[in-house]
């Protein structure tokens, strides 16, 4: 990075680089100087450097460099001279705009210029080829090459300036001006995408302004000047959005204006409010929200009538007619009747939001807001006296559509009124902010309303009507359009009708014995007759009896008691509300105190910062003064040297001299020298004038004599050359005649030679043409053979591929069948195994049941013996656990009983030397077995059981699962 001792050196270096054509190096040098921390004290040279810097950035289209430089310069001159930053930014935008306009004019000139060499050729081959390849016209290509880069740079310039100036209270006017110029750029060149981005940028700037309230130099929206600038910007945004037909962005601009006013709790001026409601009505009309459009027109009418003193009666009548027609254009039924709960909630929220926009309450209260409706709108028109200002045609139309009952003639009466209304309208002379009023745009909606009213009234009188007769009563539309309108009305429960094309008739209602609408009309007629009878024959008032008086008195006392109780509750609520308000006030006062304390602390910090800045500025000023004093001393020394050379004395002394006095002295000396030089020049001019005049007086007669002599010589020369030219012409003519006679003898030879050459060339041409046709036929034949071979090869490949696919599918089908067969066999095998396991479990349950019965029998028979123990589990215990006295008795009783002796008892008897008797009647023996299992398996199972009950070690390692395996 280059370093400079003084800012002037950087500027001088940049100019030198620019003069030799090195703009990139000059830009880098200035950029390094601006971003350096060494040169942070603002001087006038910094401003010159920035001017040169932005010029280079614009010439080279370096938007990022320009943004970096402007941000650094803002930090340099923010506290010293903010106007310098404003001038630099204005210069930057002016250069960008001029470059963009210059590129646009060059593109237009390039398109209009006649850039062809041959006047008989329409377009050059290069142009034709380029147009066919690129697919675009010359103007589009020139715009893309010349105009688009500069427009991109201009758009980037506006974005950069807005980003630099955002949330700066000292540059609010420049910020607003930049936003307006950006809006006009988008409007002039139809840049809708950039306009949306621009609106989003400005919206984000305002959101950041509210989010970060402790920023330095933050704009104060409560100040009238700042608020007016922000409002003007938003209204300009609204106007441009409507002109570009960006209705969604226009609605968001309306919300921005309303949000800004809610933020500062103020209402704009009436002139701005007129523009607000005029654009709002236009937005609602384009979005087919006729109800909100009518409400916006009503607010616009109220503003014009209240604040526009120059409003003429004709313009007021036209505005009032627009309000009434807009209200009548609203559909007479509610479209949210069949909506879901969520849709109703969304519609309610949307209605409240739009109601806040239309009412323009800076403190909206959704809970107290009435829902907008057509009935409420018409009642407001009557209560505010709008109907008194409208034209007679609009009055008649309103009366017919809303009050009269003409089932068969309503549409016929409305049609001539609509014809007259469609011709009304025009520009308002006394209301410039209101757009042009054209009542003809309401005619389609009014025709639809007249159709609905006719169908409604006809349905109240008739049950069935011919389609042709119904079409005659509605001359506005064909029956297909009437059918569409009626379908929408039936969908929203406004009508009840059916169309039968087989019978060619329309059926109204539900075909009950009595029409619902007719019953209502009869009830209304009866009420009117009753009122008329009471008016003609009023009832006689009779005196009340004492009982009636007492009952009325009791009712009065009860009502008074209820009123007093209600009053007491109201007083209590008011007391509670008052206490709550007191607490709220205390809380607000505490918040204000804290806020004031915070403001005081911030003010103290700002004061300290300002004192530091003042000290810094004073130090800078002292350094500047010292530098100027040194320069003044140097200038004084130079002046002394110059005065010594000229032989003059110095007027001022060194101790009292200043830079300003030296500059004044130098200027005065320069002025004296210039005056002396001018006197010398005047004297020299007079001398030269006299000398030149004398020369010309002496040379005049000599020049005249020379002219006459030259004239005579030229006349003589002309005559001589003319005679020579005539003689030469005669000689050439004679030579040409002689040459003609000589060549005339060769004409027959020439013709013969010409015929011979032409015939030879014609034969050669025919031969070449025949050879060419034969070669072309051979090529065509070879190509046909190639195509045929290729077609056969492709057919073979396709057939082979189909065969391979078919084989693969057959193999997959065979594998699937094999897998399904295996699955079926596996399922059958599993079913057989489950069946065998179930039989095995059944046999085991039977064995367990027989074992249980045997134990019960043994316990029942042995309970009477003296050697029986009290423990029922003694049978399963080892023989060592039984008393020694019971063993002989058991052994003695065994042969006499002739019954089954358990194994453990037989084993104990064998150990003592006693032979147990044979068990002839043992039902658990092998002779009476219920199954075919081997004996050793059963004994082994019993040994396991004995081990488990006795607690001793097992005598075998077999298990129940192993026995199951052997059985299988």
């Amino acid at each position: 990075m280059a370093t400079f001792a003084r800012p002037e050196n950087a500027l001088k270096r940049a100019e030198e680089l620019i003069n030799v054509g090195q703009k990139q190096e000059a830009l880098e040098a200035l950029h390094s100087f601006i971003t350096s921390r060494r040169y942070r004290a603002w001087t006038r040279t910094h401003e010159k450097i920035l001017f040169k810097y932005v010029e280079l950035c614009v010439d080279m289209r370096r938007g990022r460099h320009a943004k970096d430089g402007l941000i650094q310069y803002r930090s340099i001159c923010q506290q010293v001279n903010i106007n310098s930053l404003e001038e630099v930014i204005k210069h930057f935008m002016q250069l960008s705009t001029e470059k963009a306009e210059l590129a646009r004019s060059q593109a237009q000139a390039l398109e209009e210029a006649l850039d062809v060499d041959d006047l008989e050729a329409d377009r050059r081959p290069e142009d034709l080829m380029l147009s066919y390849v690129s697919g675009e016209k010359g103007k589009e290509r020139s715009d893309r090459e010349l105009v688009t880069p500069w427009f991109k740079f201009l758009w980037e310039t506006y974005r950069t300036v807005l980003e630099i100036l955002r949330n700066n209270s000292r540059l609010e006017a420049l910020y607003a001006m930049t936003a307006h110029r950006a809006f006009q750029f988008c409007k002039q060149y139809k840049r809708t995408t950039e306009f949306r981005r621009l609106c989003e940028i400005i919206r984000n700037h305002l959101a950041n302004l509210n989010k970060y309230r402790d920023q330095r130099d933050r704009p104060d929206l409560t100040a009238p000047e700042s608020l007016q600038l922000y409002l003007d910007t938003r209204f300009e945004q609204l106007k441009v959005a409507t002109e570009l037909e960006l209705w969604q962005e226009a609605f968001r601009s309306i919300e921005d204006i309303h949000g800004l006013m809610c933020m500062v709790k103020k209402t704009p001026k009436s002139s701005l409010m007129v523009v607000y409601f005029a654009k709002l009505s236009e937005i609602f009309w384009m979005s087919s929200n006729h109800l909100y459009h009518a409400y916006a027109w009503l607010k616009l009418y109220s503003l014009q009538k209240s604040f526009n003193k120059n409003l003429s009666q004709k313009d007021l009548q036209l505005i009032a007619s627009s309000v009434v027609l807009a209200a009548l254009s609203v559909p007479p039924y509610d479209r949210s009747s069949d909506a879901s709960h969520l849709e109703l909630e969304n519609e309610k929220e949307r209605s409240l939001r739009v109601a806040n926009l239309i009412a323009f309450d800076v403190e909206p209260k959704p809970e107290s807001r009435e829902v907008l409706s057509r009935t409420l709108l018409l009642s407001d028109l009557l209560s505010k006296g709008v109907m008194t200002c409208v034209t007679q045609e609009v009055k008649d139309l309103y009366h017919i559509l809303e009050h009269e009952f003409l089932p068969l003639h309503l549409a016929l009466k409305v049609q001539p009124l609509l014809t007259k209304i469609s011709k009304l309208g025009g520009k308002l002379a006394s209301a410039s902010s209101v757009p042009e009023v054209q009542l003809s745009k309401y005619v389609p909606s009014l025709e639809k309303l007249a159709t609905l009213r006719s169908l409604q009234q006809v349905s109240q009188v008739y049950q069935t009507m011919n389609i042709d007769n119904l079409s005659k009563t509605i001359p506005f539309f064909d029956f297909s359009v009437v059918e569409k309108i009626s379908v929408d009305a039936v969908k929203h429960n406004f009508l009840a009708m059916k169309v039968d094309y087989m019978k060619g008739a329309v059926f109204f209602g539900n075909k009950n014995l009595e029409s619902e609408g007719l019953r209502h009309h009869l009830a209304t007629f009866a009420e009117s007759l009753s009122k008329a009878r009471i008016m003609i024959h009023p009832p006689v008032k009779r005196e009340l009896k004492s009982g009636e008086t007492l009952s009325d008195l009791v009712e009065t006392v009860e009502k008074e008691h209820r009123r007093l109780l209600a009053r007491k509750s109201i007083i209590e609520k008011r007391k509670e509300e008052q206490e709550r308000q007191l607490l709220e006030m205390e809380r607000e006062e505490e918040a204000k105190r804290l806020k004031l304390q915070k403001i005081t602390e911030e003010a103290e910090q700002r004061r300290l910062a300002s004192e530091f800045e003042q000290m810094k500025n004073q130090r800078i000023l002292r350094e500047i003064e010292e530098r100027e004093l040194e320069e003044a001393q140097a200038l004084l020394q130079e002046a002394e040297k110059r005065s010594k050379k000229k032989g003059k004395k110095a007027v001022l002394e060194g101790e009292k001299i200043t830079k300003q006095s030296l500059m004044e002295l130098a200027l005065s000396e320069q002025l004296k020298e210039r005056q002396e030089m001018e006197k010398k020049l005047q004297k020299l001019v007079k001398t030269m004038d006299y000398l030149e005049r004398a020369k010309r007086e002496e040379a005049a007669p000599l020049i005249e004599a020379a002219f006459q002599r030259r004239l005579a010589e030229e006349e003589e020369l002309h005559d001589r050359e003319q005679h020579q030219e005539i003689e030469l012409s005669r000689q050439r003519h004679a030579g040409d005649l002689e040459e003609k006679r000589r060549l005339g003898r060769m004409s027959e030879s020439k013709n013969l030679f010409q015929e011979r050459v032409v015939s030879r060339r014609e034969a050669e041409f025919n031969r070449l043409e025949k050879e060419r046709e034969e070669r072309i036929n051979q090529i065509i034949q070879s190509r046909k053979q190639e195509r045929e071979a290729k077609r056969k090869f492709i057919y073979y490949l396709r057939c082979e591929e189909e065969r391979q696919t078919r084989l693969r599918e057959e193999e997959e089908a065979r594998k699937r069948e094999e897998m399904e067969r295996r699955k079926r066999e596996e399922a059958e095998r599993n079913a057989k195994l489950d069946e065998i396991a179930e039989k095995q479990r059944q046999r085991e349950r039977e064995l367990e049941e027989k074992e249980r019965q045997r134990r019960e029998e043994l316990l029942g028979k042995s309970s009477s013996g003296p050697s029986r123990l009290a423990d029922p589990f003694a049978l399963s215990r080892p023989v060592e656990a039984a008393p020694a006295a019971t063993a002989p008795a058991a052994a003695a009783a065994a042969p006499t009983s002739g019954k089954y002796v358990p194994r453990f008892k037989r084993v104990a008897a064998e150990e003592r030397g006693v032979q147990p008797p044979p068990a002839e009647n043992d039902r658990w023996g092998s002779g009476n077995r219920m199954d075919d299992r081997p004996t050793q398996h059963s004994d082994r199972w019993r040994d396991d059981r004995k081990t488990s009950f006795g607690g001793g070690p097992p005598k075998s390692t077999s298990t129940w699962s192993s026995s199951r395996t052997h059985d299988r």
Side-chain angles (χ1 to χ4, degrees):
M1 183 179 69
T3 57
F4 303 97
R6 300 170 61 188
E8 291 83 358
N9 297 342
L11 182 60
K12 186 177 180 181
R13 176 62 178 166
E15 290 176 349
E16 291 174 354
L17 291 173
I18 293 171
N19 292 332
V20 297
Q22 299 181 0
K23 291 186 178 181
Q24 179 65 32
E25 288 75 7
L27 181 64
E28 294 295 335
L30 292 180
H31 185 266
S32 62
F33 171 80
I34 294 169
T35 56
S36 176
R37 294 183 176 274
R38 184 176 178 183
Y39 313 101
R40 288 296 177 181
W42 182 86
T43 60
R44 184 63 64 179
T45 309
H46 280 77
E47 184 175 344
K48 296 178 181 178
I49 290 173
L50 257 295
F51 275 115
K52 183 63 69 178
Y53 180 76
V54 297
E55 288 174 2
L56 287 173
C57 290
V58 171
D59 289 338
M60 303 175 68
R61 291 203 296 266
R62 298 298 178 86
R64 189 173 297 278
H65 282 73
K67 184 177 181 179
D68 294 341
L70 290 174
I71 290 175
Q72 295 294 331
Y73 190 64
R74 180 184 64 181
S75 62
I76 292 173
C77 65
Q78 177 74 27
Q79 304 298 328
V80 182
N81 188 4
I82 197 66
N83 294 327
S84 177
L85 177 62
E86 183 176 355
E87 294 297 327
V88 170
I89 289 177
K90 286 182 179 178
H91 184 62
F92 179 42
M93 289 194 295
Q94 183 66 26
L95 288 176
S96 301
T97 307
E98 289 176 357
K99 288 289 185 181
E101 291 295 333
L102 180 61
R104 186 164 174 267
S105 61
Q106 288 177 355
Q108 291 178 353
L110 185 64
E111 182 67 21
E112 295 173 358
L114 186 62
D115 191 15
V116 291
D117 296 331
D118 188 3
L119 294 178
E120 295 182 0
D122 292 336
R123 300 182 67 179
R124 293 180 299 175
E126 296 87 351
D127 296 337
L128 289 172
M129 185 178 297
L130 187 60
S131 64
Y132 288 134
V133 172
S134 62
E136 58 183 359
K137 298 181 180 179
K139 184 177 185 305
E140 296 175 354
R141 192 182 307 111
S142 61
D143 288 346
R144 179 167 53 81
E145 295 175 355
L146 297 176
V147 182
T148 304
W150 282 111
F151 275 9
K152 287 183 179 179
F153 182 76
L154 181 58
W155 165 245
E156 188 177 355
T157 299
Y158 287 135
R159 289 190 60 175
T160 300
V161 173
L162 290 174
E163 186 68 23
I164 292 172
L165 300 179
R166 66 184 180 92
N167 301 341
N168 196 326
S169 60
R170 305 172 70 178
L171 295 173
E172 289 177 338
L174 184 58
Y175 179 85
M177 184 195 74
T178 305
H180 282 247
R181 292 180 66 172
F183 288 142
Q184 293 302 319
F185 166 77
C186 298
K187 172 185 172 183
Q188 182 178 0
Y189 301 111
K190 305 291 189 246
R191 308 304 304 174
T192 56
T193 305
E194 285 76 10
F195 179 76
R196 293 190 185 94
R197 292 175 183 167
L198 179 63
C199 296
E200 193 64 29
I201 289 170
I202 295 176
R203 200 172 290 117
N204 291 334
H205 288 174
L206 183 60
N208 292 332
L209 178 65
N210 295 326
K211 185 177 180 181
Y212 306 106
R213 296 180 177 271
D214 54 348
Q215 284 184 347
R216 188 176 182 181
D217 296 326
R218 172 184 173 274
D220 185 11
L221 292 179
T222 57
E225 296 83 5
S226 301
L227 181 61
Q228 188 62 36
L229 288 174
Y230 273 86
L231 274 179
D232 292 342
T233 303
R234 294 306 186 280
F235 275 100
E236 182 67 21
Q237 173 182 333
L238 176 61
K239 292 177 182 177
V240 175
T242 54
E243 290 177 3
L244 292 177
E245 296 182 357
L246 299 175
W247 304 111
Q248 186 175 4
E249 200 61 44
F251 186 75
R252 296 183 69 185
S253 303
I254 290 287
E255 289 183 326
D256 291 343
I257 295 172
H258 184 263
L260 184 63
M261 292 297 99
C262 291
M263 194 185 304
V264 298
K265 300 294 189 293
K266 291 182 181 179
T267 304
K269 295 185 294 186
S270 58
S271 59
L272 294 179
M273 293 304 297
V274 169
V275 177
Y276 175 86
F277 285 112
K279 299 299 181 184
L280 189 61
S281 64
E282 189 174 356
I283 292 169
F284 286 142
W285 178 256
M286 295 304 298
S287 61
S288 300
N289 288 321
H290 296 146
L291 179 61
Y292 302 144
H293 170 75
Y295 268 102
W297 258 115
L298 179 59
K299 296 291 290 187
L300 185 60
Y301 166 79
S302 302
L303 283 172
Q304 287 290 336
K305 188 176 181 181
S306 302
F307 297 101
N308 193 353
K309 305 300 182 183
N310 300 324
L311 189 65
S312 62
Q313 185 63 30
K314 181 181 179 180
D315 293 344
L316 180 63
Q317 191 179 38
L318 198 57
I319 293 174
S321 301
S322 299
V323 174
V324 175
L325 293 180
L328 290 175
S329 300
V330 180
Y333 46 79
D334 188 10
R335 294 183 177 273
S336 61
S337 58
D338 297 334
S340 62
H341 179 70
L342 181 60
E343 292 175 351
L344 288 175
E345 289 295 327
N346 294 335
E347 182 65 24
K348 183 178 180 182
E349 182 180 356
R350 178 170 173 270
S351 298
L352 293 175
R353 174 180 165 196
V354 175
N356 289 330
L357 292 178
I358 293 175
F360 209 88
D361 291 340
V362 295
E363 295 182 359
K365 297 178 180 179
E367 65 275 2
S368 61
R369 170 71 55 201
E370 294 181 352
V371 179
L372 305 180
S373 64
R374 185 177 187 273
T375 306
L376 185 62
L377 175 61
L378 293 176
S379 62
D380 288 344
L381 294 181
L382 294 175
S383 61
K384 293 181 180 180
V386 180
M387 296 300 300
T388 58
C389 301
V390 301
T391 60
Q392 187 62 38
E393 292 85 358
V394 177
K395 285 183 181 179
D396 297 341
L397 181 65
Y398 172 78
H399 184 69
I400 292 172
L401 292 176
E402 297 298 326
H403 297 293
E404 290 191 2
F405 186 77
L406 302 168
L408 300 178
H409 307 289
L410 186 141
L412 298 175
K413 283 194 173 185
V414 166
Q415 190 175 13
L417 295 176
L418 293 179
T419 304
K420 294 180 181 178
I421 289 172
S422 62
K423 299 177 181 179
L424 300 177
K427 185 68 177 176
L428 302 182
S430 58
S432 58
S433 300
V434 181
E436 185 177 0
V437 178
Q438 292 294 341
L439 301 184
S440 58
K441 66 180 181 181
Y442 298 108
V443 171
S445 300
L446 294 174
E447 290 177 350
K448 183 178 178 181
L449 176 64
T451 303
L452 287 173
R453 290 299 186 194
S454 298
L455 292 174
Q456 184 186 25
Q457 294 179 9
V458 167
S459 66
Q460 294 174 0
V461 177
Y462 297 96
Q463 287 184 349
T464 306
M465 194 172 189
N466 194 314
I467 292 178
D468 297 334
N469 295 334
L470 183 61
S471 300
K472 291 178 182 179
T473 59
I474 303 174
F476 308 124
F477 309 111
D478 297 334
F479 185 73
S480 59
V481 181
V482 175
E483 186 179 5
K484 291 180 181 179
I485 296 173
S486 61
V487 165
D488 192 49
V490 171
K491 177 182 176 183
H492 296 95
N493 298 327
F494 183 73
L495 290 175
M497 60 178 289
K498 292 184 293 184
V499 180
D500 191 346
Y501 282 100
M502 295 291 293
K503 298 180 180 179
V506 178
F507 299 94
F508 297 100
N510 296 325
K511 294 186 179 182
N512 294 329
L513 294 177
E514 184 182 22
S515 176
E516 189 70 22
L518 187 59
R519 186 170 67 235
H520 289 326
H521 278 289
L522 291 176
T524 305
F525 182 65
E527 291 176 0
S528 301
L529 287 178
S530 178
K531 291 179 182 179
R533 186 182 61 79
I534 292 173
M535 293 175 64
I536 296 172
H537 302 288
V540 180
K541 294 182 180 179
R542 55 189 180 84
E543 296 181 358
L544 298 176
K545 297 181 180 179
S546 59
E548 295 179 356
T549 305
L550 291 176
S551 62
D552 293 342
L553 182 61
V554 171
E555 292 179 359
T556 304
V557 170
E558 290 179 355
K559 289 180 181 179
E560 187 68 20
H561 179 66
R562 286 195 298 270
R563 189 181 64 80
L564 290 175
L565 291 176
R567 184 172 179 273
K568 182 179 179 181
S569 63
I570 291 171
I571 291 172
E572 291 177 354
K573 288 182 180 179
R574 287 179 179 176
K575 287 181 179 180
E576 293 175 358
E577 183 68 21
Q578 189 175 6
E579 292 175 357
R580 190 184 60 78
Q581 289 178 358
L582 289 174
L583 291 174
E584 191 94 9
M585 291 173 62
E586 291 176 358
R587 216 176 290 116
E588 290 179 357
E589 289 176 358
E590 182 67 20
K592 288 180 180 178
R593 186 183 64 78
L594 293 175
K595 185 177 180 181
L596 182 62
Q597 182 179 357
K598 184 178 179 181
I599 292 172
T600 306
E601 293 175 355
E602 291 177 354
E604 183 66 20
Q605 293 178 359
R606 286 196 298 270
R607 186 183 64 78
L608 294 174
S610 63
E611 289 180 358
F612 176 75
E613 290 292 333
Q614 288 178 1
M615 293 173 63
K616 183 178 178 181
N617 294 335
Q618 290 175 2
R619 180 176 59 78
I620 293 171
L621 290 175
R622 284 198 303 272
E623 292 177 357
I624 293 173
E625 290 177 357
E626 292 175 359
R627 194 181 301 117
E628 288 182 352
L629 183 59
E630 293 176 357
E631 293 176 358
Q633 294 292 340
L635 290 174
L636 178 61
Q637 292 176 3
E638 292 179 1
E640 288 179 353
K641 291 179 181 179
R642 192 165 53 250
S643 61
K644 286 180 181 179
K645 289 180 180 179
K646 293 183 178 181
K648 297 181 180 179
K649 293 184 179 180
V651 181
L652 300 173
E653 297 180 359
E655 292 78 13
K656 299 179 182 179
I657 198 167
T658 61
K659 185 177 180 181
Q660 186 68 25
S661 60
L662 268 177
M663 292 177 66
E664 292 177 357
L665 178 62
L667 288 174
S668 62
E669 290 180 356
Q670 291 177 3
L671 183 61
K672 289 179 182 179
E673 292 177 358
R674 191 180 297 112
Q675 290 176 355
E676 292 176 359
M677 184 62 68
E678 288 178 356
K679 289 180 181 178
K680 290 180 181 180
L681 287 175
Q682 288 178 0
K683 187 175 180 182
L684 182 61
V685 165
K686 186 179 291 186
T687 303
M688 293 297 293
D689 188 16
Y690 289 156
L691 182 61
E692 186 68 22
R693 187 182 300 168
K695 286 181 181 179
R696 292 186 179 183
E697 287 177 355
E698 292 294 332
L702 298 176
I703 291 172
E704 181 66 24
F707 173 72
Q708 294 296 333
R709 190 167 55 254
R710 179 68 180 274
L711 188 62
E713 292 175 356
E714 288 182 353
E715 186 175 356
E716 183 181 355
L717 179 63
H718 176 265
D719 294 338
R720 187 169 60 252
E721 288 179 352
Q722 188 174 7
H723 289 306
Q724 291 177 357
E725 183 66 27
I726 291 170
E727 186 65 26
L728 288 174
S729 298
R730 287 175 180 172
Q731 293 176 1
R732 282 196 298 270
H733 180 66
D736 292 340
L737 291 175
E738 182 65 24
E739 184 70 17
K740 181 179 179 182
R741 284 193 300 270
R742 187 177 66 83
L743 294 176
R745 294 175 295 177
M746 296 185 289
S747 61
E748 295 180 358
S749 300
K750 187 265 294 182
N751 292 333
L752 291 174
F753 177 75
Q754 181 178 357
E755 290 176 357
R756 187 167 58 252
V757 170
V758 169
S759 62
R760 185 174 66 253
R761 290 183 179 178
E762 186 176 0
E764 181 70 18
F765 173 76
N766 293 332
R767 183 182 61 81
L768 292 176
E769 185 177 9
K770 185 177 180 181
E771 291 177 357
R772 177 175 171 275
E773 290 178 356
E774 291 177 355
R775 189 168 58 254
I776 290 173
N777 291 331
Q778 291 177 0
I779 293 172
I780 291 173
Q781 190 66 25
S782 63
R783 288 182 180 177
K784 283 183 179 179
Q785 293 175 358
E786 290 176 0
R787 284 198 299 272
E788 186 67 23
K790 185 177 180 180
R791 192 180 300 112
K792 290 180 179 179
F793 181 69
I794 291 172
Y795 176 74
Y796 169 73
L797 290 178
R798 190 182 299 116
C799 292
E800 185 66 21
E801 184 178 356
E802 290 177 357
R803 188 179 65 81
Q804 294 291 339
T805 304
R806 187 167 60 256
L807 291 176
R808 189 166 51 253
E809 290 177 354
E810 291 176 355
E811 182 66 21
E812 291 177 356
R814 188 184 62 77
K815 289 182 180 180
R816 284 197 299 271
E817 291 176 358
E818 182 68 21
M819 189 177 294
E820 290 176 359
R821 185 182 60 78
R822 290 179 180 178
K823 287 182 180 179
R824 286 197 300 271
E825 291 177 355
E826 185 70 22
E828 291 174 358
R829 186 167 57 252
N830 291 335
K832 289 180 181 180
L833 292 176
D834 291 341
E835 184 179 356
I836 293 171
E838 182 63 29
K839 290 180 180 179
Q840 185 68 23
R841 285 192 294 272
Q842 183 67 24
R843 286 196 296 268
E844 291 170 2
R845 284 194 294 270
E846 291 175 358
L847 291 174
E848 289 176 359
E849 182 65 24
K850 291 176 181 180
E851 180 67 16
R852 186 181 60 78
Q853 292 176 2
R854 184 187 62 80
R855 287 179 185 176
E856 290 177 356
E857 290 176 359
L858 289 175
L859 289 175
K861 291 179 180 181
S862 61
S863 61
S864 58
S867 62
R868 182 64 181 172
L869 298 176
D871 189 2
F873 298 98
L875 291 173
S876 62
R877 292 175 181 170
V879 69
E880 293 83 3
T886 61
T896 59
S897 61
K899 298 292 183 181
Y900 170 74
V901 179
R903 182 180 177 81
F904 70 89
K905 289 188 178 183
R906 294 200 305 270
V907 171
E910 289 174 358
E911 289 177 356
R912 290 193 300 269
V914 180
Q915 181 67 28
E920 294 88 357
N921 299 326
D922 185 9
R923 65 180 175 213
W924 296 97
S926 59
N928 298 326
R929 294 181 62 86
M930 300 301 292
D931 54 1
D932 56 352
R933 288 184 297 174
T935 309
Q936 62 270 19
H937 291 173
S938 177
D939 295 340
R940 190 178 300 147
W941 176 80
R942 291 190 182 94
D943 293 343
D944 293 340
R945 298 276 294 180
K946 181 179 69 172
T947 303
S948 63
F949 280 100
K955 294 182 181 180
S956 177
T957 58
S958 62
T959 58
W960 177 251
S961 61
S962 64
S963 64
R964 281 185 64 189
T965 307
H966 287 300
D967 289 340
R968 291 182 185 176

